Amino acid sequence: MSQIAWKLSLFFCIMFFALEGILLYGLHSTMVDDEIQRQIEELAAKGESHREALQEHFTTTTMQHVLYMEENVPSEVMIIQRSDKRILATSVSSPDRILSEDILYATYEEATIVEDDWENAPYLVTATPLNENVTVLMIEPTEIVQQYVQQLSQHFLYIAFAGILITPIVILLLSHWITKPLLQMQEATKQMSQGNFSVGMNTTGSDELSLLAQSIEDLAYDLAQHRRLRSLFLASVSHELRTPLTYIQGYAQIAQKTATSKERRNYALSIIQEETERVELLLQDLFMLAKVDSNQFSIQKEKLHVKGWLHKVLSPLQLVFEEEGRALIEEVDEDRIVSIDSERVQQMLVNVIDNAKKYSTEGPVKVRFTSKGHTYRLEVIDVGPGIPKEVLSQIGQPYLHATTPPSSKHGLGLGLAIVTSIAKAHGIQFTFHTNDPKGTIARFEWEENR
């Protein structure tokens, strides 16, 4: 059994035994007190009954009848005349040995409990005055109460002993049952730390342990996916770097040959420059992705008019679109003042527009700004082939394009991962939606509190 199970068992045993001891002691004391109270009340009630009978007919016959009523019962009765210190009637053979004169011939103005010390005194005694001169004393041996207490104490000891035997076993089993899922989780996390993400756990139920087990399973799945995508991503990066480096190496060898003509050498150098720029862009994307993932950049917001800012951003891009015989349309419903990091939002917007241009080979691309209250929406809309629904929710995840070998045309697709990270840091919700009847809508949406 695990250490935590032993610790839990020891803790619960100590707490249970302490609670059991307090409860048993309290219950035992209450039951003993109730029994003493009952005995004394019964004794007093008998005295009151005898007093009523004697008060109605104070004769020798009535006193004999009272004595007869106390035969074959544990209690005894004495009828005392105080004035001449005489016992008028008694069911006790030697009353002087049982009670002292101070008790026998004392003056009692009302019904009184004379003796209730059941632990030390031999008798319980109550006194019920008939008049100023005559008193009815009721006597009962404390042996009866002591026997009851002794039997009660034995029963309580049996219960405590049974609790001592059964409780540790039950608590050990319960502790093992409680800690078993925790031990499974410990083993699962150990396997995960060693690189094994194929962990299976009992996730049935809706309690906290089951939810924690489910979270660990989800984490293992996510880590496995991350590991797989990272491996594919690194393979893709290697492929992307190997191709231009192969070109650079091959054309550098051609350029170094003395027999190579000037025209051919210039062509080789242009290829080398082109491939070098391609490697540089790839490294820039990788560096930016690492930077945003580690939050090593800050967001500097400023207030600006969205219409002027958007026109400034899109003007250079519109020329590029025109060279390809396409249009980049700018649409602003209302010129609002917004608070954004213009450089970061421009970086995201240009990246998404470039992505739309690559994947939609014909037709216009529209950039639309709309607002509703303090909620702002910036959208890039194309009329390309669109994105499958099952892929829409995954776009922007790191290494997504590593799931398929990248093409030289589209590269690794790191841009959208960078855009997603910057948008999150900026507090902007970045999502993709299907455009009707075809194409894709890339949407930036955020709120500002004025």
Side-chain angles (χ1 to χ4, degrees):
M1 187 172 288
S2 64
Q3 291 184 1
I4 187 172
W6 281 113
K7 290 178 181 178
L8 281 175
S9 300
L10 180 61
F11 172 76
F12 283 123
C13 279
I14 293 173
M15 294 297 295
F16 178 82
F17 290 146
L19 183 62
E20 182 185 37
I22 294 171
L23 291 176
L24 288 179
Y25 175 78
L27 182 61
H28 181 273
S29 300
T30 301
M31 293 181 69
V32 169
D33 291 342
D34 288 346
E35 179 63 20
I36 300 300
Q37 186 67 25
R38 187 184 66 82
Q39 295 279 7
I40 291 175
E41 287 177 356
E42 285 185 2
L43 210 58
K46 285 183 179 182
E48 180 65 24
S49 176
H50 296 330
R51 183 193 69 80
E52 291 175 355
L54 291 170
Q55 200 170 36
E56 187 174 347
H57 302 286
F58 189 69
T59 62
T60 303
T61 304
T62 305
M63 286 189 282
Q64 290 298 322
H65 178 69
V66 168
L67 296 180
Y68 177 75
M69 290 176 66
E70 296 301 325
E71 287 184 0
N72 301 321
V73 293
S75 58
E76 306 285 351
V77 62
M78 290 185 187
I79 303 172
I80 308 297
Q81 184 167 296
R82 185 179 60 81
S83 58
D84 53 2
K85 294 185 178 181
R86 187 161 61 91
I87 300 175
L88 300 178
T90 179
S91 62
V92 181
S93 57
S94 302
D96 295 335
R97 295 181 181 179
I98 295 177
L99 300 175
S100 66
E101 289 189 1
D102 293 339
I103 295 176
L104 284 173
Y105 307 118
T107 300
Y108 302 101
E109 296 180 357
E110 59 183 9
T112 305
I113 299 172
V114 179
E115 182 64 74
D116 62 354
D117 185 4
W118 64 272
E119 292 180 283
N120 301 310
Y123 295 97
L124 300 174
V125 182
T126 64
T128 307
L130 180 63
N131 51 47
E132 295 180 355
N133 194 33
V134 179
T135 302
V136 178
L137 293 179
M138 296 301 302
I139 306 166
E140 183 170 303
T142 54
E143 252 179 50
I144 298 172
V145 177
Q146 290 171 354
Q147 288 177 358
Y148 170 80
V149 172
Q150 184 178 4
Q151 292 176 354
L152 184 66
S153 300
Q154 287 179 349
H155 291 313
F156 272 72
L157 284 175
Y158 294 151
I159 294 171
F161 184 70
I164 291 172
L165 288 179
I166 297 172
T167 301
I169 298 173
V170 173
I171 290 179
L172 279 173
L173 293 175
L174 286 175
S175 299
H176 177 70
W177 178 71
I178 292 172
T179 57
K180 185 178 179 181
L182 295 176
L183 296 176
Q184 290 179 343
M185 295 176 201
Q186 180 189 28
E187 181 61 26
T189 53
K190 182 179 179 181
Q191 292 293 327
M192 289 164 61
S193 68
Q194 296 174 355
N196 178 21
F197 301 109
S198 301
V199 293
M201 303 179 66
N202 182 16
T203 57
T204 57
S206 58
D207 56 19
E208 288 78 4
L209 288 176
S210 298
L211 294 176
L212 179 58
Q214 183 62 55
S215 298
I216 292 177
E217 273 197 354
D218 294 341
L219 176 62
Y221 175 79
D222 291 341
L223 288 174
Q225 289 294 102
H226 183 83
R227 181 178 177 181
R228 182 180 66 84
L229 292 175
R230 184 184 62 180
S231 299
L232 291 171
F233 174 76
L234 292 176
S236 300
V237 170
S238 300
H239 172 77
E240 284 291 300
L241 288 174
R242 187 181 298 112
T243 301
L245 289 176
T246 301
Y247 278 118
I248 291 171
Q249 183 181 20
Y251 281 99
Q253 290 174 354
I254 293 174
Q256 286 176 344
K257 292 180 180 179
T258 55
T260 303
S261 64
K262 183 178 180 179
E263 181 181 350
R264 187 169 177 79
R265 181 176 288 109
N266 290 337
Y267 175 75
L269 292 175
S270 66
I271 295 296
I272 291 173
Q273 182 179 0
E274 182 181 331
E275 296 301 324
T276 302
E277 291 174 354
R278 179 180 169 188
V279 172
E280 183 181 3
L281 290 174
L282 175 61
L283 293 177
Q284 286 177 356
D285 281 349
L286 289 171
F287 177 74
M288 177 55 70
L289 182 62
K291 193 174 181 180
V292 296
D293 279 346
S294 58
N295 291 323
Q296 293 180 357
F297 70 99
S298 59
I299 300 296
Q300 303 293 334
K301 293 185 179 181
E302 58 179 316
K303 293 186 180 297
L304 49 83
H305 288 271
V306 69
K307 189 171 184 178
W309 170 81
L310 188 60
H311 181 73
K312 182 180 177 181
V313 172
L314 298 184
S315 293
L317 299 176
Q318 286 171 336
L319 295 175
V320 177
F321 273 79
E322 289 174 2
E323 289 179 359
E324 296 184 4
R326 301 175 63 185
L328 178 60
I329 302 171
E330 174 185 339
E331 185 179 302
V332 178
D333 69 338
E334 183 181 356
D335 189 12
R336 300 291 295 270
I337 297 177
V338 295
S339 178
I340 58 174
D341 186 327
S342 59
E343 182 181 348
R344 298 297 181 190
V345 176
Q346 178 178 346
Q347 182 182 2
M348 292 191 294
L349 184 59
V350 170
N351 207 316
V352 173
I353 292 173
D354 183 63
N355 196 71
K357 183 169 72 72
K358 288 178 181 177
Y359 285 93
S360 60
T361 55
E362 57 183 22
V365 173
K366 180 188 293 185
V367 179
R368 180 172 62 192
F369 174 83
T370 57
S371 61
K372 185 176 182 180
H374 299 308
T375 301
Y376 305 108
R377 182 178 289 178
L378 187 60
E379 296 174 318
V380 178
I381 307 169
D382 65 57
V383 291
I387 302 172
K389 289 183 179 180
E390 61 272 13
V391 180
L392 277 176
S393 61
Q394 302 176 25
I395 291 180
Q397 295 181 6
Y399 320 132
L400 176 68
H401 276 264
T403 56
T404 56
S407 66
S408 59
K409 179 180 179 181
H410 296 148
L412 288 172
L414 292 176
L416 293 181
I418 296 172
V419 170
T420 301
S421 299
I422 295 177
K424 184 177 180 181
H426 200 292
I428 295 175
Q429 186 178 4
F430 176 54
T431 54
F432 278 87
H433 305 271
T434 301
N435 189 23
D436 189 24
K438 65 176 183 176
T440 304
I441 301 175
R443 179 177 297 161
F444 299 93
E445 190 169 12
W446 72 98
E447 292 184 4
E448 294 183 11
N449 295 322
R450 299 283 175 160

